[in-house]
């Protein structure tokens, strides 16, 4: 039977592409929807070329297909009888397949009038099934106050003006994610108990948590609750349908066993549909991307999007309650976790950030004011994320991230094969972590003061270390760097890194005994001397991170001290120093690291002091640099500046590195490979001398070099390093060093370029991770480059 139905489906698809099929041909259409199929078959039998031909040559057929599939989804939402579930799934699969091809010509792609009219036209215009679509009202009225952005009630069924199909398909998908017996258990009362009724649960369930810790946390962040009479509730209702307990909902509130896996497959299918309806950004060139431009995403994240609050907590909790150590999860559950992470990333990536200021009604129930919710760019998902404000929930979120990210190395260091599940969605997790750090002020504060931040630092360092040579993982190293840079702007991060590092990671990281600050510095050193060529733009971020934590670094290990002084030698070498006119900025950051440690943590850091003494010549050469010497060194490394011998292949070859793994210097600092090379000038030398804070190190060397020389002379050169370290430990430097400088912390500043980078990175990950069922076809993607390898 399977091959016969497959053949039938193939025939129907080819008929749609080849001939005009009337919308009234009931036999053809009814049969099409009833043919049993799987998602894989639908994707295979509607290849990209056929989908585009359908759109470009047989638009009427595509319009009927889209309209009828949407109408059936609206119908199933209204009357969820399980005899129609298979047919509904067929509609879901066909829509999942064709929507991206409509969006290629949608809001952010090459606009097309037919597509515009089909998706966003509001005249019913005799569309088949419009009476069915008009029925799409169910489940929207929460507390009878659900009002959409225009201020009209969401349940305006049979008006003259038809709701646009795009809105209906997104709303239908969001209803179908909570359809009884399809994606969740039966539930009786849609409203649970309205707050304020005499029901047992009413008082406790929907109040914000107000423990002493919660109040302290909010006060520290300067958040003060505002009470309003009415608004859009941020409480999941009915709470019994949320997919998993955790944030927003306790296990006791779930109406069923939250660990049930029986709905996973259907949830996956509908989440895929929602993802394909939200893929507008893929078709926008990166430099033109506008996070407010997609109407599809605006509908999905609007205040009146059906079940949005339940969906936010379902996706978040499904991801964060997953425990890779519990083997026995089916592949479909792992797929659901990964897809939930992807859909949540997409829904949090458009519109405007949420406002973390708490707003509630007189019963203490969290709300969003109507006025806020009706503004353009409002995103209910970002609002919900920014408003998570209880210690218990913030703990849950942190522990979830820590447990899942730990999996990246625990999975490789276990002795028992298959004793834990390898989760592949760590890139999506890092995007979510970033969004929490960026948009929920309480989360950042909580993880740095109440949690062990090293539980995130170790997996991040591990991922950076493992990915440093792989050009395909450059994006991953970027996102890890952004997270560390964001965290390093806070004093408590630098203090927390002093905790001893005792884990054995499954890598060839050099052995050292020290803290997590040592792990961080040794990792970043390795990324500079042994990382991919494309990491060069991140060098200043790496050094800024080390610089930000250096004033709080109590005791640097020998390995880290030597590595940092090595970096100084590397960045002050002629090859590097003359690679561009700003190359010396790296040295300024490193000198600041040394100054911070010497001035504020001298006594725990004799390893660093001794490492600096041993390399005193590197500092001396820089301090005494003259223009003549600089020009000679530059000439020696780069040859005659006036001769232009440009070989494009050579210039671009990544292999063109010197033995230390340094890329060809012209490209190094964004210099020009075209022969128009940097040459040291008097102005450059003056700027270099002014910007390099050499005084502290110079004074240190001035006082300590003679001391060390005396010890060595008295022992005829046979001296134990430990003795020298002990002598250095006892020397009091007060009065010998310059007056301590103010500590400068460079905080990450959000900007549109990083936001754009995150959007492109996130969609690149989603594109690559959805290849087994190839949801998106690379041919028309503009947001990033898709290069297809020709198969032999």
């Amino acid at each position: 039977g399977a091959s016969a139905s497959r053949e039938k489906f193939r025939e129907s698809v080819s008929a749609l592409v080849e001939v005009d099929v009337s919308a009234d041909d009931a036999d053809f259409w009814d049969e099409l929807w009833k043919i049993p199929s799987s998602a894989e078959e639908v994707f295979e039998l509607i290849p990209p070329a056929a989908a585009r031909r359908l759109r470009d040559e047989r638009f009427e057929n595509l319009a009927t297909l889209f309209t009828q599939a949407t109408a059936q989804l609206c119908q199933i939402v209204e009357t969820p009888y399980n005899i129609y579930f298979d047919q509904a799934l067929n509609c879901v699969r066909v829509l999942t397949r064709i929507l991206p091809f409509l969006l290629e010509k949608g809001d952010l792609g090459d606009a097309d009038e037919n597509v515009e009219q089909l998706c966003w036209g509001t005249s019913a215009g005799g569309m088949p099934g419009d009476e069915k679509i008009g029925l799409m009202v169910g489940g929207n009225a929460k507390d009878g106050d659900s009002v959409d952005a225009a201020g009209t009630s969401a349940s305006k069924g049979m008006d003259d003006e038809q709701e646009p199909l795009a809105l209906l398909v997104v709303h239908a998908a969001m209803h179908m994610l909570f359809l009884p017996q399809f994606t969740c258990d039966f539930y009786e009362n849609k409203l649970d108990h309205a707050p304020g009724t005499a029901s047992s649960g009413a008082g406790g369930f929907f109040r914000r948590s107000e423990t002493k810790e919660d109040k302290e946390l909010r006060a520290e962040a300067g958040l003060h609750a505002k009470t309003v009479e009415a608004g859009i509730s941020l409480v999941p209702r009915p709470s019994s349908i949320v997919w998993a307990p955790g944030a927003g909902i306790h296990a006791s509130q779930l109406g069923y066993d939250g660990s049930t896996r029986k709905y996973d497959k259907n949830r996956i299918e509908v989440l895929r549909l929602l993802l394909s309806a939200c893929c507008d950004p893929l078709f926008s060139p990166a430099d033109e991307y506008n996070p407010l431009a997609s109407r599809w995403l605006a509908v999905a994240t609007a205040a009146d999007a059906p079940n949005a609050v339940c969906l936010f907590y379902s996706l978040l909790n499904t991801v964060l309650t997953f425990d890779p150590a519990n083997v026995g999860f089916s592949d479909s559950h792992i797929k659901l976790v990964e897809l939930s992470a992807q859909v949540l990333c997409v829904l949090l990536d458009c519109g405007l950030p949420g406002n973390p200021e708490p707003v509630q009604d007189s019963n203490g129930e969290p709300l969003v004011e109507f006025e806020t919710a009706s503004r353009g760019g409002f995103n209910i998902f970002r609002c919900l994320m920014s408003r998570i404000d209880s210690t218990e929930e913030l703990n849950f979120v942190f522990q979830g991230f820590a447990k899942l990210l730990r999996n990246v190395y625990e999975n490789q260091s276990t002795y028992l094969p298959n004793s834990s599940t390898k989760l592949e969605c760590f890139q999506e997790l890092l995007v979510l972590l970033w969004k929490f750090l960026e948009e929920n002020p309480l989360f950042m504060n909580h993880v740095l003061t109440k949690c062990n931040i090293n539980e995130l630092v170790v997996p991040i360092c591990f991922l950076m270390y493992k990915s440093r040579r792989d050009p395909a993982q450059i994006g991953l190293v970027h996102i890890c760097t952004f997270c560390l840079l964001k965290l390093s702007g806070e004093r408590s991060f630098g203090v927390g890194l002093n905790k001893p590092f005792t884990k054995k990671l499954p890598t060839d990281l050099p052995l050292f005994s020290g803290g997590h600050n040592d792990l961080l510095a040794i990792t970043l050193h390795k990324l500079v001397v042994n990382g991919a060529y494309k990491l060069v733009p991140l060098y200043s971020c790496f050094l800024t991170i080390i610089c930000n934590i250096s004033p709080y670094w109590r005791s640097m290990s020998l390995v880290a001290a030597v590595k940092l002084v090595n970096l100084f030698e590397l960045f002050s070498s002629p090859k590097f120093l003359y690679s561009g006119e700003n190359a010396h900025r790296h040295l300024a950051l490193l000198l600041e690291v040394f100054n911070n440690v010497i001035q504020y943590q001298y006594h725990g850091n004799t390893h660093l002091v001794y490492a600096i003494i041993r390399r005193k010549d590197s500092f001396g050469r820089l301090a005494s640099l003259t223009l003549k010497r600089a020009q000679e060194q530059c000439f020696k490394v780069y040859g005659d500046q006036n001769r232009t011998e440009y070989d494009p292949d050579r210039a671009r070859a990544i292999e063109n590195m010197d033995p230390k793994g340094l890329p060809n210097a012209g490209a190094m600092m964004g210099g020009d490979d075209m022969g128009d090379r940097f040459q040291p000038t008097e102005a450059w030398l003056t700027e270099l001398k002014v910007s390099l804070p050499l005084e502290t190190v110079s004074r240190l060397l001035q006082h300590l070099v003679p001391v060390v020389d005396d010890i060595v002379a008295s022992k005829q050169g046979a001296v134990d390093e430990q003795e020298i370290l002990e002598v250095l430990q006892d020397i009091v430097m007060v009065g010998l060093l310059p007056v301590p400088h103010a500590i400068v912390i460079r905080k990450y500043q959000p900007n549109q370029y990083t936001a754009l980078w995150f959007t492109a990175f996130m969609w690149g990950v989603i594109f690559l991770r959805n290849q087994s069922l190839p949801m998106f076809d690379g041919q028309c993607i503009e947001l990033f480059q898709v290069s297809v390898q020709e198969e032999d």
Side-chain angles (χ1 to χ4, degrees):
S3 59
S5 64
R6 182 186 164 90
E7 202 41 54
K8 211 181 246 178
F9 191 80
R10 188 194 301 276
E11 284 165 18
S12 303
V13 171
S14 64
L16 284 174
V17 175
E18 301 300 337
V19 297
D20 292 326
V21 182
S22 162
D24 301 325
D25 185 347
D27 292 347
F28 176 87
W29 293 106
D30 284 353
E31 186 174 53
L32 175 69
W33 300 120
K34 291 198 172 86
I35 298 169
S37 66
S38 66
E40 288 72 18
E41 278 177 12
V42 170
F43 272 68
E44 185 189 334
L45 298 176
I46 310 179
R52 290 194 181 99
R53 269 188 72 193
L54 190 58
R55 179 193 68 201
D56 299 337
E57 296 169 25
R58 305 265 174 219
F59 193 80
E60 288 304 310
N61 288 354
L62 179 64
T64 311
L65 191 70
F66 183 36
T67 311
Q68 286 210 7
T70 304
Q72 293 196 56
L73 296 193
C74 296
Q75 184 67 50
I76 198 92
V77 166
E78 201 48 40
T79 49
Y81 299 138
N82 52 13
I83 51 170
Y84 299 126
F85 285 172
D86 284 344
Q87 195 166 324
L89 277 172
N90 275 348
C91 297
V92 166
R93 289 161 189 154
V94 169
L95 285 167
T96 304
R97 185 52 169 154
I98 63 172
L99 275 178
F101 297 101
L102 280 170
L103 292 180
E104 285 180 1
K105 302 278 188 188
D107 288 1
L108 304 182
D110 304 326
D112 176 281
E113 213 166 295
N114 283 337
V115 172
E116 172 67 23
Q117 184 54 41
L118 173 64
C119 297
W120 296 103
T122 51
S123 58
M127 278 188 171
D130 55 318
E131 67 291 337
K132 282 188 197 165
I133 296 177
L135 288 171
M136 174 71 176
V137 296
N140 256 1
K142 299 190 194 113
D143 289 358
D145 66 15
S146 176
V147 173
D148 68 16
T152 52
S153 171
S155 51
K156 57 167 192 204
M158 298 296 190
D159 291 358
D160 300 341
E161 206 168 77
Q162 171 65 59
E163 291 194 297
L165 280 175
L167 177 134
L168 291 177
V169 77
V170 171
H171 279 196
M174 294 177 81
H175 278 297
M176 287 180 73
L177 288 167
F178 300 95
L179 207 58
Q181 298 302 293
F182 183 68
T183 44
C184 69
D185 278 0
F186 272 122
Y187 51 95
E188 291 300 315
N189 180 358
K190 288 206 164 193
L191 300 183
D192 289 341
H193 302 289
T197 58
S199 146
S200 59
F205 272 15
F206 302 130
R207 285 192 172 282
R208 285 164 75 232
S209 169
E210 292 282 355
T211 64
K212 181 166 168 277
E213 274 186 299
D214 294 336
K215 287 177 179 164
E216 284 171 7
L217 192 68
R218 290 166 200 157
E220 271 175 49
L223 297 180
H224 303 290
K226 168 183 175 183
T227 304
V228 295
E229 287 201 0
I232 287 165
S233 171
L234 295 182
V235 170
R237 280 214 181 82
S239 57
S240 60
I241 61 174
V242 175
W243 296 353
I249 176 162
H250 285 284
S252 59
Q253 290 168 268
L254 281 187
Y256 59 100
D257 174 11
S259 62
T260 179
R261 302 278 69 94
K262 62 183 171 183
Y263 301 118
D264 283 359
K265 289 193 163 107
N266 289 348
R267 288 171 179 171
I268 287 168
E269 301 246 21
V270 185
L271 278 179
R272 276 198 193 117
L273 171 58
L274 189 56
L275 187 59
S276 75
C278 291
C279 72
D280 253 342
L282 284 173
F283 309 112
S284 163
D287 51 353
E288 295 167 24
Y289 177 66
N290 171 358
L292 302 178
S294 166
R295 285 171 292 175
W296 292 84
L297 279 162
V299 165
T301 57
D304 67 335
N307 301 318
V309 182
C310 289
L311 180 58
F312 172 77
Y313 287 117
S314 293
L315 297 174
L316 183 65
N317 296 346
T318 297
V319 174
L320 296 180
T321 52
F322 181 72
D323 185 358
N326 285 356
V327 278
F329 279 120
S330 63
D331 288 348
S332 63
H333 187 60
I334 294 165
K335 182 67 199 164
L336 178 67
V337 170
E338 301 191 334
L339 203 52
S340 296
Q342 289 168 8
V343 171
L344 189 54
C345 284
V346 168
L347 294 172
L348 290 170
D349 195 61
C350 61
L352 299 170
N355 178 0
E357 292 287 340
V359 179
Q360 56 193 35
D361 67 10
S362 54
N363 296 306
E365 170 159 340
L367 303 171
V368 175
E369 292 170 88
F370 291 127
E371 192 229 339
T372 309
S374 59
R375 285 187 203 136
F378 175 77
N379 179 333
I380 184 117
F381 293 92
R382 288 177 84 164
C383 177
L384 284 158
M385 179 173 69
S386 68
R387 295 270 296 265
I388 292 180
D389 66 352
S390 76
T391 311
E392 189 183 352
E393 289 180 318
L394 293 166
N395 262 337
F396 165 76
V397 174
F398 172 79
Q399 295 302 344
F401 279 125
K403 168 186 66 186
L404 294 170
L405 288 171
R406 247 193 338 259
N407 177 248
V408 297
Y409 62 83
E410 281 185 348
N411 179 268
Q412 295 182 28
S413 48
T414 167
Y415 294 108
L416 299 170
N418 306 325
S419 61
S420 74
T421 309
K422 182 158 172 34
L423 208 56
E424 296 292 349
C425 64
F426 49 85
Q427 304 191 91
E428 294 92 319
L429 287 170
L430 288 164
V431 171
L432 286 177
L433 173 64
W434 169 258
K435 292 193 177 298
F436 266 95
L437 290 171
E438 187 70 338
E439 294 194 23
N440 185 315
L442 295 174
F443 181 71
M444 176 89 150
N445 191 7
H446 179 74
V447 300
L448 288 173
T449 54
K450 301 282 191 295
C451 306
N452 177 6
I453 191 61
N454 297 315
E455 290 188 46
L456 299 181
V457 172
V458 174
I460 286 175
C461 285
F462 175 77
L463 283 169
M464 291 172 88
Y465 190 85
K466 291 289 277 189
S467 311
R468 68 187 186 279
R469 306 284 301 159
D470 182 356
Q473 299 293 335
I474 297 299
L476 173 62
V477 177
H478 267 80
I479 189 168
C480 291
T481 306
F482 284 138
C483 288
L484 291 173
L485 187 61
K486 176 92 182 158
L487 291 165
S488 74
E490 305 297 321
R491 177 183 178 275
S492 37
F493 179 70
V495 173
L497 289 176
N498 285 301
K499 285 200 178 94
F501 174 72
T502 52
K503 287 192 168 60
K504 177 78 185 82
L505 293 177
T507 62
D508 57 348
L509 204 68
L511 289 173
F512 65 93
S513 68
H516 288 76
N517 27 26
D518 293 281
L519 170 71
L520 188 53
I522 290 165
T523 302
L524 295 177
H525 166 268
K526 193 74 166 178
L527 267 71
V528 172
V529 299
N530 183 241
Y533 175 70
K534 288 184 176 171
L535 295 182
V536 171
L538 288 177
Y539 287 0
S540 55
C541 288
F542 297 163
L543 294 172
T544 302
I545 293 164
I546 297 173
C547 198
N548 281 347
I549 66 171
S550 59
Y552 317 110
W553 198 333
R554 293 191 203 117
S555 178
M556 193 182 292
S557 71
L558 173 64
V559 178
V562 169
K563 300 283 186 205
L564 288 180
V565 177
N566 280 353
L567 278 184
F568 186 84
E569 286 201 309
L570 187 60
F571 286 128
S572 60
S573 66
K575 180 153 197 172
F576 212 109
L577 189 57
Y578 307 119
S579 62
E581 97 186 84
N582 296 320
H584 59 80
R585 287 184 188 168
H586 293 77
L587 286 173
L589 283 167
L590 270 169
L591 282 166
E592 206 174 304
V593 171
F594 300 150
N595 294 349
N596 284 339
V597 174
I598 292 165
Q599 291 279 21
Y600 292 102
Q601 303 286 350
Y602 177 85
H603 280 290
N605 280 298
T606 45
H607 281 308
L608 179 66
V609 172
Y610 186 45
I612 289 173
I613 293 170
R614 291 188 60 171
R615 308 286 176 84
K616 59 183 184 292
D617 293 351
S618 296
F619 297 91
R621 278 195 296 271
L622 204 58
S624 60
L625 188 65
T626 62
L627 183 61
K628 181 167 181 287
R629 180 99 185 91
Q631 286 170 337
E632 283 170 2
Q633 287 179 339
C634 184
F635 178 80
K636 194 170 172 187
V637 177
Y638 290 118
D640 187 347
Q641 303 297 321
N642 302 319
R643 283 170 50 210
T644 306
E645 292 175 6
Y646 178 62
D647 172 357
D649 296 330
R650 182 178 163 280
R652 287 194 170 58
I654 290 179
E655 290 71 41
N656 201 11
M657 297 200 177
D658 75 14
K660 277 197 166 158
L662 278 181
N664 184 12
M668 192 77 208
M669 291 299 133
D672 195 344
D673 263 325
M674 301 300 285
D676 178 17
R677 287 208 185 279
F678 161 73
Q679 271 188 303
T681 60
E682 194 66 61
W684 171 83
L685 187 63
T686 308
E687 210 253 325
L688 173 125
K689 298 270 183 173
V690 170
S691 66
L692 294 186
L694 275 161
E695 193 190 358
T696 303
V697 173
S698 301
R699 292 255 205 114
L700 178 91
L701 291 170
Q702 194 182 327
H703 290 290
L704 297 185
V705 169
V707 175
V708 174
D709 287 348
D710 287 350
I711 300 172
V712 175
S714 68
K715 300 275 175 129
Q716 280 93 39
V719 68
D720 180 10
E721 280 192 9
Q722 197 53 44
E723 287 176 53
I724 297 178
L725 291 174
E726 282 164 12
V727 171
L728 293 175
Q729 176 76 41
D730 294 338
I731 292 177
V732 178
M733 294 301 288
V734 179
L736 302 179
L737 294 175
V739 178
H741 54 285
I743 293 174
V744 179
I745 298 295
R746 294 169 179 81
K747 286 187 183 265
Y748 162 80
Q749 296 300 328
N751 59 67
Q752 72 195 73
Y753 301 107
T754 0
L756 176 61
W757 182 88
F758 269 95
T759 299
F761 170 70
M762 174 192 81
W763 276 106
V765 169
I766 291 171
F767 171 74
L768 288 171
R769 306 258 293 107
N770 284 284
Q771 290 297 318
S772 56
L773 196 69
M775 282 183 62
F776 308 107
D777 180 63
Q779 192 178 321
C780 293
I781 289 177
E782 295 277 338
L783 187 63
F784 45 81
Q785 280 183 314
V786 179
S787 46
V788 182
Q789 284 186 324
E790 296 297 326
E791 291 189 13
D792 299 334

